[in-house]
Amino acid sequence: MTEEMETPPGIRFDDTINKRSVDGVEAPNGGTCQATMQANNLYQQFQKNSKKRGLSLEEKREQMLQIFYESQDFYLLKELEKLGPKRGVISQSVKDVVQSLVDDDLVLKDKIGTFVYFWSLPSCAGNQLRNAYNKLESDLSNSKKRYLELVEHRDNLKRGREDSEERESALEELKAVELHHKKLKEELAAYADSDPAAVQAMKDAIDVAHSAANRWTDNIFTLQQWCSTTFPQAKEQLEHMYREVGITEDFEYLQ
């Protein structure tokens, strides 16, 4: 009996292909080799894994809200940190996510004894949305009203200001007057030191300084008299000290 010889890999014989065909080559009858099926499975698994990603902050907020809405119960933070991972929110980020919901008034919290409880009901979110909607409606109404007022004011300002030769001439004259006014102010600033008001202010300051100098001169004379009376035996030492600080015999009141 003649022994059947197996066709080499990839060689066709009578429109068929041997069972040990090259991986990935499909037989004419539609069959697929085992290696090809494994490759397809690996590729599908790769696609599945590539689609996996972490939740965004908004998705985390939504997942944490669903915990409250579905249970309508009160929770401690440590309880939420255990429930978060079941919703795809890692325990380390639960605290920040819940706090962001509290800041937006979507979750309420209160301290009872030594514990801080968190809770939220679907009606809370509904009430907040209604309040936000009413506020936006009010702001829109006020903005429309303000817009109409500004349009009316603009139209009123336009009246009598239509382009004309007379208006152009008046504007040119106004520009010239403004330039002349600016020039006069600059000249006036150059003579500021001779301004009667500035001169009078300087005179007043001189009078104040004169009175202050004579007042302190009088204080010095009073102090000298007290020293002479209190320390009569130290007359020479006192006179030496006076000369050192500039109090000489010609020291006198200002006239």
Side-chain angles (χ1 to χ4, degrees):
M1 183 175 180
T2 305
E3 183 178 1
E4 182 180 356
M5 297 190 63
E6 189 172 0
T7 307
I11 302 302
R12 295 179 180 277
F13 183 76
D14 293 337
D15 295 330
T16 62
I17 194 166
N18 64 335
K19 294 181 180 180
R20 295 183 180 179
S21 59
V22 179
D23 291 348
V25 177
E26 184 177 324
N29 59 3
T32 307
C33 67
Q34 185 178 2
T36 302
M37 295 177 63
Q38 292 177 347
N40 287 336
N41 291 335
L42 289 174
Y43 177 72
Q44 292 175 1
Q45 186 66 27
F46 171 77
Q47 284 187 317
K48 183 178 179 180
N49 292 336
S50 65
K51 292 181 180 179
K52 291 183 178 180
R53 60 179 178 81
L55 299 178
S56 66
L57 176 59
E58 193 58 36
E59 290 171 335
K60 293 178 181 178
R61 285 160 55 93
E62 181 63 28
Q63 291 299 323
M64 295 306 298
L65 276 178
Q66 289 304 317
I67 295 176
F68 292 107
Y69 293 167
E70 292 175 2
S71 65
Q72 298 188 17
D73 202 352
F74 299 84
Y75 294 97
L76 296 171
L77 181 60
K78 62 181 181 180
E79 294 174 335
L80 293 172
E81 289 176 342
K82 293 180 180 179
L83 295 173
K86 299 179 181 180
R87 296 278 185 162
V89 183
I90 61 175
S91 58
Q92 291 85 346
S93 64
V94 167
K95 180 178 180 181
D96 294 334
V97 173
V98 173
Q99 185 59 48
S100 71
L101 294 172
V102 173
D103 295 338
D104 292 341
D105 296 329
L106 292 174
V107 171
L108 303 177
K109 76 173 183 177
D110 197 4
K111 186 174 183 181
I112 303 176
T114 59
F115 300 99
V116 177
Y117 287 91
F118 299 86
W119 73 94
S120 180
L121 302 174
S123 59
C124 295
N127 291 334
Q128 185 191 29
L129 290 175
R130 280 189 290 272
N131 293 336
Y133 174 81
N134 293 334
K135 183 180 185 303
L136 291 174
E137 283 288 336
S138 177
D139 292 343
L140 178 60
S141 177
N142 293 333
S143 297
K144 288 181 177 179
K145 182 179 179 181
R146 178 57 178 165
Y147 171 76
L148 295 176
E149 291 175 352
L150 292 174
V151 170
E152 182 180 2
H153 183 61
R154 180 202 62 186
D155 294 339
N156 292 334
L157 291 176
K158 284 184 175 181
R159 295 190 185 98
R161 298 186 180 185
E162 296 79 5
D163 292 337
S164 63
E165 293 183 0
E166 183 180 358
R167 176 175 171 77
E168 291 294 332
S169 177
L171 290 175
E172 290 293 333
E173 183 178 355
L174 175 62
K175 185 177 180 180
V177 171
E178 289 176 343
L179 290 175
H180 184 61
H181 178 259
K182 181 179 179 181
K183 183 178 180 181
L184 290 177
K185 287 183 66 176
E186 292 174 352
E187 292 180 359
L188 184 62
Y191 297 101
D193 293 339
S194 301
D195 183 19
V199 172
Q200 184 60 44
M202 292 176 63
K203 289 182 178 179
D204 294 341
I206 291 173
D207 291 340
V208 172
H210 186 273
S211 299
N214 283 336
R215 182 172 61 255
W216 281 104
T217 300
D218 188 63
N219 291 339
I220 291 173
F221 287 152
T222 301
L223 181 60
Q224 284 181 318
Q225 184 177 2
W226 180 84
C227 290
S228 298
T229 304
T230 307
F231 309 104
Q233 69 280 6
K235 180 178 180 181
E236 293 183 0
Q237 290 88 338
L238 289 172
E239 290 179 352
H240 179 69
M241 181 187 68
Y242 298 153
R243 287 193 297 270
E244 285 185 345
V245 298
I247 302 176
T248 59
E249 294 180 357
D250 58 351
F251 182 76
E252 192 54 79
Y253 292 100
L254 293 177
Q255 299 299 323

